[in-house]
Amino acid sequence: MNTDTLESLKEVALSAFAEAKSIEALRVEEVKFLGRKSEFNQFLKSLASLSPEERRLVGGRANEVKREILDAFEAARIRLESAGFDAEKEWVDVTDPGEKLPVGHLHILTRVEREICDIFRSLGFAIADGPEVETEFYNFDALNIPADHPARDMQDTFWLHQKSGSKERSVVNKKSPRLLLRTHTSPVQVRYMETHTPPFRIIVPGRIFRSEATDASHEHTFYQFESLFVDTDVSVGNFKYVAELFFSRFFGKHISVRLRPSYFPFVEPGFEFDIACTMCDGAGCSSCHGTGWLEVGGAGMVNQKVFEAAGYERDRWKGFAWGFGTNRLAMMKYKIPDIRLFQGGDLRFLNQF
Ligand code: DAH
């Protein structure tokens, strides 16, 4: 091929591009004139066999021709694409608000947990935290629940496998602990007391675990709030006042609290406490089985043995401690019938909140 052929090739390419009737047809011409196997490309390759002077001469022109062909192709592409634009069909309404992209939101339990924290914060409580993988010492022993105590059976849990030998240990201590998934948030009481001096008031939100068969009101994983109030002069009356204030704020109406004597090894005296039924305000309905009360949690005056386990001097301090289930409160407030819904991952449930 010589430079004449090069010129005529260019003419043919330019008119082919100019005459193309559609983008598809133009693409076919593009391959024909610019593709890897095109005559033009073959020509460029053959330049390698020319002498240096010839190559400079012919090669320079070849590059110019290539540029002209590419420009012609680009012009044809723009012509065909803008011709294909149908202003009738493709107009844009700039005032159209646009499509909303789906965004996630906080889980109902997170929202309830935050709501509860806000109320307690407004009452002067600090928020404390502790580990979900807990030692046997903090979860049980420090709370006056020794290894052979039947109270351990009420909180059967998941133990972690550890290196050989650890199971055999009979004396449980902080240095060589057996590990478990905490069965309640109460262990944070002792952890907090070890590093703080009264007076203080704290709440401990958190996730806990029980080896439970699940049903509409039982889960193996759920959430609790522990609360601890320690000072020199604290009474059961103080507890009842704070509890009524808290539940009234949470439910947005006056809520009475009632105490029933009960037993928890870490408090003395101990109570279970109920709130007036939020459905019938205490009149009696199917939610409260006609009693007018709903069971909410456990409470009591901190057992001096727990103060001792935390390193406090016996009889120096007084305090009340109480705990309740976050899931249960959320269920009452938002009328959620089954505790398993929280972790079921069903968007039809989650998107309601
Ligand atoms: N930790 C107990 C449980 O999970 C609840 C509880 C009872 C907490 C009495 C307390 C208390 O602070 O005083 O069953």
Side-chain angles (χ1 to χ4, degrees), residues 155 183-184 186 189 210 224 226 264 266-267 298-300 321-323:
Q155 298 193 355
T183 57
H184 50 178
S186 305
Q189 285 188 22
R210 304 259 172 110
Q224 271 190 341
E226 183 78 14
F264 299 96
F266 36 96
V267 283
W322 48 310

Side-chain angles (χ1 to χ4, degrees), residues 84-92:
F85 175 72
D86 183 342
E88 275 288 300
K89 274 201 225 142
E90 300 187 28
W91 67 282
V92 176

Side-chain angles (χ1 to χ4, degrees), residues 185-186 189 202-205 224-228 266 321-324:
T185 40
S186 305
Q189 285 188 22
I202 56 163
I203 48 159
V204 183
Q224 271 190 341
F225 264 86
E226 183 78 14
S227 179
L228 179 67
F266 36 96
W322 48 310
F324 55 84

Side-chain angles (χ1 to χ4, degrees), residues 63-350:
N63 273 332
E64 282 167 22
V65 167
K66 185 171 185 186
R67 185 73 262 150
E68 286 171 54
I69 297 183
L70 281 172
D71 288 349
F73 169 77
E74 197 51 24
R77 189 183 64 78
I78 291 169
R79 169 179 59 82
L80 288 168
E81 279 183 357
S82 53
F85 175 72
D86 183 342
E88 275 288 300
K89 274 201 225 142
E90 300 187 28
W91 67 282
V92 176
D93 179 358
V94 293
T95 64
D96 190 343
E99 260 174 54
K100 216 173 178 183
L101 293 173
V103 283
H105 65 281
L106 293 178
H107 190 280
I108 179 64
L109 274 177
T110 309
R111 289 200 10 223
V112 168
E113 194 175 273
R114 290 188 183 183
E115 215 177 304
I116 295 173
C117 285
D118 283 347
I119 298 173
F120 276 110
R121 234 188 259 118
S122 77
L123 299 175
F125 283 72
I127 295 166
D129 198 12
E132 292 178 352
V133 174
E134 188 50 284
T135 66
E136 183 175 14
F137 174 78
Y138 287 110
N139 197 82
F140 291 126
D141 299 79
L143 293 171
N144 193 29
I145 315 176
D148 56 358
H149 199 285
R152 284 206 180 188
D153 299 343
M154 295 190 296
Q155 298 193 355
D156 195 9
T157 187
F158 303 98
W159 293 88
L160 275 75
H161 278 298
Q162 280 169 280
K163 288 192 211 101
S164 60
S166 55
K167 271 208 192 110
E168 271 66 62
R169 243 189 326 274
S170 53
V171 180
V172 177
N173 60 53
K174 288 185 240 179
K175 290 200 190 82
S176 50
R178 286 172 70 198
L179 296 176
L180 51 94
L181 296 184
R182 67 177 176 190
T183 57
H184 50 178
T185 40
S186 305
V188 186
Q189 285 188 22
V190 179
R191 285 185 175 277
Y192 189 86
M193 287 195 283
E194 282 179 336
T195 51
H196 295 79
T197 307
F200 59 73
R201 34 198 139 146
I202 56 163
I203 48 159
V204 183
R207 181 161 58 166
I208 65 153
F209 311 84
R210 304 259 172 110
S211 176
E212 289 275 1
T214 60
D215 62 27
S217 49
H218 295 90
E219 255 290 21
H220 49 73
T221 302
F222 57 104
Y223 294 77
Q224 271 190 341
F225 264 86
E226 183 78 14
S227 179
L228 179 67
F229 190 126
V230 182
D231 207 326
T232 45
D233 188 18
V234 181
S235 72
V236 175
N238 294 139
F239 161 66
K240 192 160 180 285
Y241 177 79
V242 172
E244 283 192 346
L245 203 60
F246 164 70
F247 287 110
S248 300
R249 293 242 185 113
F250 182 73
F251 287 105
K253 59 181 177 185
H254 177 73
I255 300 277
S256 308
V257 169
R258 127 181 135 165
L259 308 182
R260 285 177 288 110
S262 185
Y263 175 67
F264 299 96
F266 36 96
V267 283
E268 176 63 37
F271 312 97
E272 275 176 72
F273 64 93
D274 306 330
I275 60 171
C277 177
T278 51
M279 299 286 186
C280 63
D281 291 331
C285 67
S286 60
S287 292
C288 57
H289 306 294
T291 63
W293 296 95
L294 298 170
E295 274 182 47
V296 173
M301 300 305 292
V302 178
N303 193 313
Q304 290 298 324
K305 286 189 183 156
V306 177
F307 284 143
E308 281 181 317
Y312 289 179
E313 193 188 319
R314 194 180 174 89
D315 294 329
R316 170 92 203 274
W317 303 104
K318 281 186 184 164
F320 64 76
W322 48 310
F324 55 84
T326 316
N327 302 58
R328 193 157 155 71
L329 281 200
M331 289 167 83
M332 288 178 189
K333 183 158 177 175
Y334 295 100
K335 307 196 173 29
I336 297 165
D338 192 321
I339 193 171
R340 292 168 294 193
L341 287 166
F342 289 110
Q343 287 172 149
D346 187 335
L347 289 177
R348 290 170 305 175
F349 167 73
L350 295 172

